[in-house]
């Protein structure tokens, strides 16, 4: 009886710790630094392979401003605004970007950085102003 109660309690605790986010980050990285405020997301790395998810709060209507650079590999950055996952930009080896795009309004915006294999020496910065 005690074992059953312990298993049920452990299951409830596990569900509580996983949270209720829509997307999950999953990656292998070396030299990885990232930050996430309510309106901006940044990541820099020596080596990164996988998916990193950021959650932003947009305060009004507009677009996402971004900068990105990547020495090798390729990555696609998506944004999800109200359940619609859309591509924001793609970056490949040796490229640098400084632009804007993706229409958003006030509310929660998810940013997903997804690599196609291992990437090296990258930097991404996305702002929802």
């Amino acid at each position: 009886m005690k074992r059953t109660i312990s298993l049920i309690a452990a299951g409830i605790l596990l569900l509580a710790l996983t949270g209720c986010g829509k997307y999950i980050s999953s990656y292998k990285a070396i030299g990885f630094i990232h930050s996430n405020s309510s309106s901006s997301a940044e990541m820099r790395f020596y080596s990164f392979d996988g998916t990193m998810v950021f959650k932003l709060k947009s305060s009004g209507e507009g677009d996402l401003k971004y900068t990105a650079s990547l020495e090798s590999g390729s990555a696609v950055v998506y944004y999800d605004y109200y359940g619609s996952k859309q591509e924001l930009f793609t970056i490949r080896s040796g490229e640098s970007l400084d632009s804007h795009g993706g229409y958003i309004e006030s509310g929660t915006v998810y940013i997903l950085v997804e690599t196609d294999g291992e990437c090296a020496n990258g930097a991404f910065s996305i702002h929802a102003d």
Side-chain angles (χ1 to χ4, degrees):
M1 182 67 167
K2 284 185 178 183
R3 183 175 180 189
T4 303
I5 292 172
S6 295
L7 287 174
I8 291 172
I12 292 171
L13 181 61
L14 182 63
L15 287 174
L17 291 175
T18 59
C20 50
K22 185 172 181 175
Y23 298 102
I24 297 172
S25 296
S26 175
Y27 56 84
K28 296 183 304 181
I30 298 172
F32 181 45
I33 300 169
H34 59 92
S35 65
N36 193 178
S37 70
S38 62
S39 63
S40 68
E42 296 185 22
M43 65 185 275
R44 297 179 183 281
F45 54 85
Y46 175 73
S47 172
F48 185 89
D49 183 4
T51 301
M52 182 66 190
V53 180
F54 297 99
K55 183 178 178 180
L56 307 179
K57 294 280 187 186
S58 173
S59 59
E61 181 179 343
D63 54 10
L64 297 165
K65 292 154 187 66
Y66 58 86
T67 61
S69 63
L70 193 59
E71 186 176 291
S72 68
S74 65
V76 180
V77 176
Y78 298 95
Y79 72 102
D80 182 329
Y81 175 69
Y82 281 115
S84 176
K85 181 179 169 183
Q86 311 238 349
E87 184 176 326
L88 182 59
F89 65 89
T90 298
I91 187 166
R92 292 178 180 82
S93 295
E95 292 183 338
S96 292
L97 305 171
D98 185 359
S99 190
H100 59 89
Y103 175 76
I104 57 173
E105 294 177 357
S106 182
T108 300
V109 180
Y110 291 95
I111 304 295
L112 296 87
V113 179
E114 298 181 358
T115 65
D116 181 21
E118 188 173 317
C119 292
N121 293 325
F124 295 80
S125 178
I126 297 114
H127 301 274
D129 295 324

